[in-house]
Amino acid sequence: MTRHRGPAWRRSLAARLRAPRIRVKILLDCDSDSAWRALHDPTVAAQLYAPILRMAPVRGALPEAFVSGTRLLVRIRLLGVVPLGRQLIVIEDATPGELGPAHRTMRDIGHPVSGPLALLRGWHHEMTVQSDAHGRTIWLDELTVAGGAALICAPVLWVTWRWRGRRLRSLARYWGDPAPEPQPRSTPRREHTTR
């Protein structure tokens, strides 16, 4: 006797309720190489949530760059004061060609260690950059969470990911600009007058 599992749409809905996915696709005013470098810059990651959330390493300083294999334990504080917990960041870059030649993807396969988000049993954050036809960047920011608390946390994470999108657009304007050359300081000339 075969067991009837119900219509496919119902199974799909049940799977989405167990593991909600938050997905934000935005167009950035910078080239994809600049976006890819920024994606690997820990200071950019910290700027995405500032000033509302502050991210700082539990020990030592932020690394120079996120690379495949980076493991970093950070503490997150609301307005820099109220502890919200700790998050383990584990970076994994997709292998070249895994998603196609035009896509470059970085994954954070870490997880919340303490605080409210530690109630989640699954955490998979994937960030993909791709050039558009005009030299700008299409940025896809996708988070899938799982566990009993996923439905409770998903609305807050949805709002947070929209905030991330706005911050990304704002920050991306500066990613492609070269650093300004320092200008020598000139001292003003004093004019001598005779009386």
Side-chain angles (χ1 to χ4, degrees):
M1 181 173 141
T2 58
R3 191 173 184 187
H4 185 62
R5 296 178 54 195
W9 68 267
R10 190 178 296 156
R11 289 193 308 272
S12 175
L13 178 61
R16 286 185 186 170
L17 291 176
R18 281 193 304 275
R21 181 171 51 174
I22 295 110
R23 189 172 196 256
V24 175
K25 184 177 182 180
I26 56 176
L27 186 62
L28 301 179
D29 287 326
C30 70
D31 62 275
S32 63
D33 289 336
S34 298
W36 185 244
R37 281 191 302 274
L39 182 55
H40 288 79
D41 185 341
T43 57
V44 170
Q47 290 171 345
L48 284 178
Y49 303 105
I52 296 170
L53 298 177
R54 300 278 182 187
M55 179 183 86
V58 171
R59 289 183 197 88
L62 288 171
E64 296 245 341
F66 289 133
V67 296
S68 264
T70 297
R71 295 176 64 87
L72 179 66
L73 185 62
V74 297
R75 77 173 45 91
I76 299 170
R77 294 180 183 267
L78 179 66
L79 302 173
V81 179
V82 180
L84 291 180
R86 294 179 179 193
Q87 174 93 13
L88 177 64
I89 297 171
V90 180
I91 300 301
E92 177 185 89
D93 283 338
T95 56
E98 187 178 326
L99 298 170
H103 296 75
R104 290 182 278 183
T105 298
M106 183 176 92
R107 296 181 181 113
D108 176 5
I109 55 172
H111 60 276
V113 174
S114 64
L117 292 179
L119 297 171
L120 296 168
R121 297 236 177 246
W123 181 276
H124 184 82
H125 185 193
E126 192 166 282
M127 294 145 283
T128 300
V129 297
Q130 175 185 4
S131 291
D132 79 346
H134 305 289
R136 293 177 299 179
T137 299
I138 299 167
W139 180 297
L140 181 61
D141 203 350
E142 197 167 349
L143 175 68
T144 305
V145 293
L151 278 179
I152 296 166
C153 295
V156 174
L157 291 168
W158 186 88
V159 170
T160 304
W161 253 239
R162 294 310 178 269
W163 169 260
R164 273 177 61 91
R166 289 179 63 140
R167 292 287 292 158
L168 279 166
R169 275 193 203 97
S170 175
L171 293 169
R173 288 182 268 163
Y174 306 103
W175 292 344
D177 295 344
E181 291 291 321
Q183 299 296 320
R185 288 177 57 176
S186 61
T187 55
R189 282 186 160 178
R190 290 185 181 174
E191 292 187 20
H192 295 286
T193 56
T194 55
R195 293 187 193 217

